Amino acid sequence: MKQEQIYLTQYCISEPNYEFVIKQDYTVIFVNEEKDIKKQIVDKDGNICEFPGVEYTDKIKDELGKSIIEPIVKYQVLFEKIDDSRFIMVWTVRPDGRYWMDSWGFGAEDYESLSLYTYIDENGDFTKPFQLYSIGYDFYGDYRLRGELQ
């Protein structure tokens, strides 16, 4: 079995829901052994390092109003290797409104999840600002995670 030369230390970081406060280490490190590169993508507190910004489209503005998206993981980030040297990073900036529901079913909000995405190249650098990936089940990205429900 061939050892991967380009990889991440974690491929999924997330919080189960707001009722469970579990302090965890969100650190994600990009590693390229061929080029001897180790670069932090997300720090232990969930801050996105070398944040490339967000491309605010009308759809994002319609969903979030004038809210500014802070460069911190609060809900979930998924990574997937998409070829020999690149990764896609899909970041949930707003969970489905059911996230706020308690164990008795109260407290849910009426909105869909909102996720953004970008790519990470063979040097561990973001290749563009985060762009709209999905709102609920509506997909807007140019690459779809293999593990998602179709």
Side-chain angles (χ1 to χ4, degrees), residues 6-149:
I6 301 174
Y7 58 90
L8 299 169
T9 56
Q10 290 195 73
Y11 287 82
C12 175
I13 51 178
S14 67
E15 286 287 332
N17 86 11
Y18 86 98
E19 283 188 309
F20 300 98
V21 180
I22 302 170
K23 183 65 179 162
Q24 61 186 44
D25 186 346
Y26 289 109
T27 303
V28 176
I29 306 290
F30 168 89
V31 179
N32 182 332
E33 292 180 0
E34 296 167 352
K35 295 184 176 185
D36 196 30
I37 296 171
K38 286 187 178 178
K39 187 177 266 190
Q40 191 167 44
I41 304 299
V42 180
D43 74 13
K44 67 180 180 66
D45 297 318
N47 297 297
I48 298 172
C49 305
E50 297 182 30
F51 185 63
V54 172
E55 185 178 292
Y56 285 92
T57 62
D58 289 340
K59 285 194 180 297
I60 292 174
K61 290 175 188 175
D62 288 346
E63 289 292 319
L64 299 178
K66 294 183 181 190
S67 296
I68 300 298
I69 298 170
E70 299 293 329
I72 187 165
V73 177
K74 294 180 182 175
Y75 308 108
Q76 182 179 55
V77 168
L78 299 173
F79 297 91
E80 185 173 291
K81 195 167 190 182
I82 59 173
D83 58 34
D84 288 342
S85 61
R86 289 189 320 144
F87 295 86
I88 185 172
M89 177 178 177
V90 177
W91 171 35
T92 300
V93 297
R94 182 184 70 193
D96 181 283
R98 293 173 292 180
Y99 175 87
W100 305 107
M101 184 170 59
D102 65 19
S103 54
W104 296 284
F106 296 102
E109 298 289 333
D110 187 23
Y111 51 74
E112 296 179 295
S113 64
L114 176 72
S115 296
L116 306 177
Y117 78 105
T118 191
Y119 295 103
I120 300 169
D121 69 14
E122 69 277 355
N123 297 312
D125 297 321
F126 293 110
T127 62
K128 62 183 180 178
F130 280 93
Q131 298 176 333
L132 182 59
Y133 181 77
S134 66
I135 300 172
Y137 293 106
D138 294 329
F139 176 74
Y140 300 93
D142 59 29
Y143 179 90
R144 195 153 190 169
L145 294 173
R146 289 185 292 266
E148 283 188 335
L149 297 172

